[in-house]
Every structure is written in C-alpha cells, then in structure tokens.
Amino acid sequence: MIHPSAIISPDASVADDVEIGPFAIIDAGCSIGAGCKIGAQAWITGNSQLGKNNDIGYGAVVGALPQSIGFDPATASGVIIGDNNTLREYVTINRSIYAGKNTVIGNDNFLMSVSHVAHDCILGDHNILANNVMLGGHIEMGNRIFLGGGGGFHQFVKIGSFAMVKGNASISQDVPPYAVACRDNELASINVVALRRAGFDAATRSEIKNLYKLLFRSGIRLSDAVTQAEESEWSEAASALIEAAKSPSAKGILRKMS
C-alpha cells in the first residue's frame, strides 16, 4: 500500500489502509484519513489534515507556503480537506497566511489538473474546478459550483452556490448564487440546468428568476432593488440572492450583462 520510495515523517498520522505512491512525501504534522490515495510525487505538507477517501493525484501539492509577499514560513497554519475529494495531477492548495488558521476544502469536490487554490480560501461541497482554474486568496465558494477551465478569480471574491462560470473568464467581483458568469465580470443568465438537477421545483425556479431580474437586470440601483425585494416574501432558496446582494465582498457583486 505504501511504495518503498515514499517519504513519510514519523510525526505524520496515516491511516492503515492509505495508498501512497512512489516518491510521495508526507511531512510532520500532517494527517491522512482512511481510504485516501496519495499519488506518485505528491507532497502533503504544512500541517494538512485530510479526511476520508480523498484521491490526491500525481504531483499535487497540498499545504505549501502561501504565495504572499512577506509571509513568515514559521507561521503555524494549515489546510483542512474533508472527505471524498479528488485532486487531479499537479493541483496546488496553499496553507493560510494566519497563525492557527486554515485553507478549507469541504466534501465531494473535484479539482481538475493544475487548478490552484490559494491561501485562506473556503470551498463548500460538490464543487468542480476545471483544468487550470486559478483562485486567489480568501475566496469563499458555496456548494455545487462549476468553474470553467482557465478561469481566473481575484482574491476576496465570493462565489454563490449553484453558480457556473464559463471557461477563461476573468472574475474580480462576487458571482451571485444560481448565476452564470462569463468573460470579464459579466452575468449571462440563471443556471437553470443546475437548478433542475438539484431538484428545485418549478415555483422555486420561477421565484429565483424573478428575483434575479429585479436585482441584477432591472437597471435599478442595487440598494434600491434590495429594498424593493425585501417588501415581498420569498422562499429560503430565493432569499439567498438577496443576502448575496446585501452582503457582498469589498469587491462588489456582478451586475454587468453579457
């Protein structure tokens, strides 16, 4: 189960059934849960904690130093990864820049080849990052999001649940929940396919569409659109759009139409 060329620190915690490939490295302070597979030449470092049944691909690096000028390598920070995640070849996940803090990956995420998750990002569950997706630091992602290949995402932005961002997009503002974003900070539509696949009924989908139009397509100033929206009753699912509009990151939220 463990290739003889693998290097595993005696101060690492590795479950009995973990598979570790040739020349992989598991550093001190790291923990690898049951059922995990660590590919050849992968490197798990920086106090990274992996849950169960994670598949770490060839040459992936989890827990390396954040790419932040002035970072002190002695800072005790880490990465926390949940269960059932797949990191394909050469994926990189950097640890937090803050002592005692972590970059966090939830459960059932699929990070395709050469995608990058920078320091202090927080990813929810069931997200897909296609090849070469680049997440800057401090990004917050919800659940069941698809990010197209080659997309670049500026630090501190938020990406709402059930959103989709098309390939090669350049995003430096928040992506609302349920939305499709593309190109240079442009909104295209509601992600209807994702809503149907997730089991949202027709009434809820209609609510989301109507609220999306009011907040992001009406041409009304966003604060006024939020005030108008709050005069009506909405389902919990639709209300997520209002919350995203009311509490954006410092970068603001996308409104430009494609």
Side-chain angles (χ1 to χ4, degrees), residues 69-202:
I69 295 173
F71 176 75
D72 181 359
T75 301
S77 62
V79 172
I80 296 177
I81 296 179
D83 302 333
N84 307 311
N85 296 285
T86 298
L87 279 56
R88 290 298 302 267
E89 52 272 22
Y90 300 111
V91 166
T92 53
I93 301 176
N94 293 162
R95 63 186 176 98
S96 173
I97 61 172
Y98 303 118
K101 301 293 185 180
N102 299 282
T103 302
V104 179
I105 310 292
N107 303 316
D108 300 287
N109 296 288
F110 184 20
L111 280 60
M112 297 186 193
S113 302
V114 204
S115 54
H116 173 68
V117 179
H119 61 85
D120 298 287
C121 286
I122 300 175
L123 277 63
D125 304 329
H126 297 280
N127 297 303
I128 298 175
L129 278 60
N131 300 322
N132 300 296
V133 164
M134 299 166 285
L135 298 184
H138 306 278
I139 287 176
E140 297 180 22
M141 288 181 60
N143 306 314
R144 298 187 183 277
I145 297 162
F146 178 84
L147 304 182
F153 297 82
H154 199 274
Q155 60 186 0
F156 291 103
V157 302
K158 300 178 182 179
I159 307 172
S161 295
F162 300 98
M164 181 177 78
V165 180
K166 296 183 178 180
N168 296 314
S170 179
I171 303 297
S172 58
Q173 291 183 300
D174 297 358
V175 180
Y178 317 121
V180 177
C182 60
R183 301 189 184 95
D184 183 7
N185 285 331
E186 296 181 16
L187 282 178
S189 64
I190 282 288
N191 191 6
V192 177
V193 172
L195 296 179
R196 287 175 176 161
R197 288 176 176 172
F200 289 89
D201 60 32

